[in-house]
Amino acid sequence: MRTAYTADQIRGAEHALMARLPEGTLMQRAATGLAAVCADLLGRVYGKRVVLLVGSGDNGGDALYAGERLARRGAWVGAVLAGSKTHEAGLAAFRQAGGRVVERDALERADLIVDGLVGIGASGALREPYRALVEEANAARGPIVAVDVPSGVDASSGRVEGPAVRARVTVTMGAYKTGLLVDPGAEHAGTVELVDIGLGAHLPDPDVAALTGGDVDLLLPRPGNESDKYRRGVLGVAAGSDLFTGAAVLAVGGALRAGAGMVRYAGPGAPVAQVRAHWPEAVVTELERPSIDDVGRVQAWVLGPGLGTGEWAHEVAAQVLASSVPVLIDADALTLVARDRGLLLRRSAPVLITPHAGELARLIRADRDAIEAARLEHARRAAAELGVTVLLKGSTTVVAEESRPVRVNVTGTSWLATGGTGDVLAGVAGALLAQGLSCYDAASCGAFLHGLAGRRAAEGAPLTAADVATAVPEAIRAVTGGGRSS
């Protein structure tokens, strides 16, 4: 499992470790790792032009010492000193190795730019001259390597207020920072390389975590010799309407592909016909009136994709939410709950909600743009305020549950931003709920498998939601059979 930490957590661990080591040891470890990554990116170091952007903090010192090492290997290395002060020992070592102090126009000719402007303690928008330097570096031809975190990215949240470095690679020291895993910060970080400087024993419980394929492999339920369709999990799906028939088809398909032993679908006539045509494996109940009494026993429900938001849908939602089994609430059911929060707050059984930013905004009376800018903060708030597990969909999918580290999903592709893929995700996560996973694990594993299925379905080209559902078994095989995916 990949774990990440806030700036305060990292600083606490660094202080504890530095008290046991000679002064400067951590900076030398960091500089050695940084120089190695820069050398790999350059390919041939000798004769290459490297420009360091050096701020006042310790990451400016890391950059100078890394520049010293590159200069000793024959690179031309210049440093733009942008801070009000400069790490004196680092600058002296840099100059002794042949490095030189240069003006900002050197960026135009650089083969590689090292961003050592601001470190993990910075927050808010960059000030001058850092702001202008970041814009010039982003416009230059050379790739950028960020030291610890790209300048302009909040290390603890991933927030970006104004210009920020767009790195090819971010070399982060000691442990991953939360802001490197969560958009918009993750988008600016590029590939993240971790340099071990010995913090491990001093780190607290993580702020966020990201499952790997191996973690999902351990969590996924598997049928045994004694299994039958009932023991493998029976999922109820209340979805679809005369207007939105496809949502029901996709949710049922996602559930079947994710290993539910049985899917019981309940809905009105039009989607019933479509589900029967597409999925003869499903047990279908046509609801001539809004009553789920005849559906049969289930171990979990998926509620909401394409259900509509009228009185009929409200009554179905009320009955499903009155049950004693876990319920995944998605799409139209989120709108119903936002209008009548009593439907949700009266429940004592587990609830998993799967909103996008707009739906979450309605649920917790927040601004959508504010949620997009601070996804972790608002997912945590919703989990605590509503007493549920939150799977917040978007460019970074996060899973929040009160008193647990937020889980960040690292699979997926921008091609998943197309209609119906959320319905498939609801079916996949719902199937895992029915098979006995907790809301926290079902959401995390469901998002991982859904994202991996999206990658495999797309392979760099457009996809449809049905393609994603079809690729779910392949995604499961990737993490349980022929290899790991992370």
Side-chain angles (χ1 to χ4, degrees):
M1 187 175 296
R2 185 181 301 173
T3 54
Y5 302 84
T6 66
D8 287 344
Q9 289 176 313
I10 294 292
R11 281 195 294 261
E14 287 176 342
H15 290 156
L17 180 57
M18 284 189 292
R20 304 174 57 185
L21 296 172
E23 185 177 354
T25 301
L26 292 192
M27 185 169 286
Q28 293 301 324
R29 291 176 180 176
T32 298
L34 174 60
V37 173
C38 290
D40 286 345
L41 197 57
L42 286 167
R44 177 176 59 86
V45 176
Y46 187 84
K48 294 294 180 71
R49 297 178 67 88
V50 180
V51 174
L52 317 176
L53 299 180
V54 180
S56 301
D58 285 347
N59 66 330
D62 295 341
L64 287 167
Y65 279 120
E68 173 210 2
R69 287 158 169 77
L70 295 172
R72 292 190 186 282
R73 293 180 61 177
W76 180 98
V77 188
V80 179
L81 305 183
S84 57
K85 59 181 181 179
T86 304
H87 192 281
E88 292 183 5
L91 182 59
F94 173 72
R95 280 178 159 152
Q96 188 175 10
R100 64 205 73 190
V101 175
V102 298
E103 299 299 321
R104 62 207 304 165
D105 59 2
L107 288 168
E108 299 174 5
R109 302 182 301 281
D111 296 307
L112 185 71
I113 299 167
V114 178
D115 163 35
L117 288 174
V118 299
I120 63 174
S123 60
L126 293 172
R127 299 178 181 178
E128 296 296 354
Y130 293 171
R131 181 186 181 101
L133 278 171
V134 164
E135 291 178 328
E136 291 175 29
N138 285 339
R141 67 179 178 85
I144 304 174
V145 174
V147 182
D148 227 7
V149 65
S151 295
V153 172
D154 188 306
S156 298
S157 68
R159 288 184 123 177
V160 174
E161 300 177 25
V165 162
R166 290 191 172 275
R168 174 80 62 84
V169 178
T170 295
V171 181
T172 200
M173 312 304 176
Y176 292 99
K177 282 69 182 178
T178 296
L180 299 177
L181 301 185
V182 181
D183 279 337
E187 182 184 357
H188 287 259
T191 301
V192 179
E193 298 283 354
L194 176 64
V195 173
D196 183 3
I197 59 173
L199 292 186
H202 304 280
L203 290 167
D205 291 338
D207 179 50
V208 303
L211 296 185
T212 66
D215 299 318
V216 176
D217 183 12
L218 292 174
L219 288 169
L220 285 181
R222 288 174 170 78
N225 291 335
E226 75 289 352
S227 295
D228 57 33
K229 60 188 176 185
Y230 299 105
R231 289 177 176 152
R232 287 190 57 197
V234 180
L235 178 68
V237 177
S241 61
D242 290 344
L243 185 60
F244 299 110
T245 58
V249 173
L250 293 168
V252 170
L256 289 167
R257 296 287 193 180
M262 179 187 292
V263 176
R264 297 185 186 273
Y265 170 69
V272 158
Q274 292 296 318
V275 171
R276 280 182 173 145
H278 283 85
W279 303 111
E281 305 93 332
V283 178
V284 176
T285 301
E286 183 173 349
L287 299 181
E288 296 181 356
R289 55 189 177 84
S291 172
I292 64 167
D293 292 342
D294 298 329
V295 173
R297 186 174 66 87
V298 301
Q299 276 123 352
W301 278 99
V302 167
L303 172 68
L307 188 67
T309 57
E311 291 183 9
W312 188 94
H314 183 278
E315 180 56 31
V316 171
Q319 292 180 35
V320 169
L321 289 169
S323 69
S324 60
V325 299
V327 177
L328 183 153
I329 306 176
D330 185 47
D332 286 340
L334 292 169
T335 300
L336 294 169
V337 168
R339 290 180 190 166
D340 182 3
R341 288 177 65 168
L343 290 172
L344 180 61
L345 298 177
R346 286 191 292 267
R347 271 185 67 81
S348 58
V351 174
L352 167 61
I353 64 172
T354 57
H356 54 60
E359 291 164 337
L360 189 65
R362 292 194 294 272
L363 275 169
I364 62 173
R365 282 49 163 179
D367 179 74
R368 177 175 185 150
D369 290 341
I371 290 174
E372 293 283 19
R375 302 178 64 78
L376 292 175
E377 173 187 331
H378 289 89
R380 286 184 173 120
R381 173 189 158 189
E385 186 176 307
L386 301 174
V388 300
T389 304
V390 179
L391 188 162
L392 176 57
K393 297 181 285 195
S395 57
T396 302
T397 294
V398 301
V399 176
E401 187 173 283
E402 195 169 14
S403 302
R404 306 287 292 271
V406 172
R407 282 180 174 167
V408 177
N409 186 52
V410 295
T411 63
T413 166
S414 55
W415 293 112
L416 280 167
T418 189
T421 55
D423 304 326
V424 176
L425 173 58
V428 171
L432 297 176
L433 275 180
Q435 292 174 79
L437 293 192
S438 67
C439 288
Y440 186 61
D441 287 339
S444 306
C445 293
F448 188 100
L449 294 173
H450 180 260
L452 185 55
R455 284 185 190 172
R456 292 180 177 246
E459 293 187 343
L463 53 73
T464 67
D467 296 331
V468 179
T470 300
V472 168
E474 185 181 351
I476 294 173
R477 281 192 292 272
V479 299
T480 62
R484 297 282 186 265
S485 181
S486 61

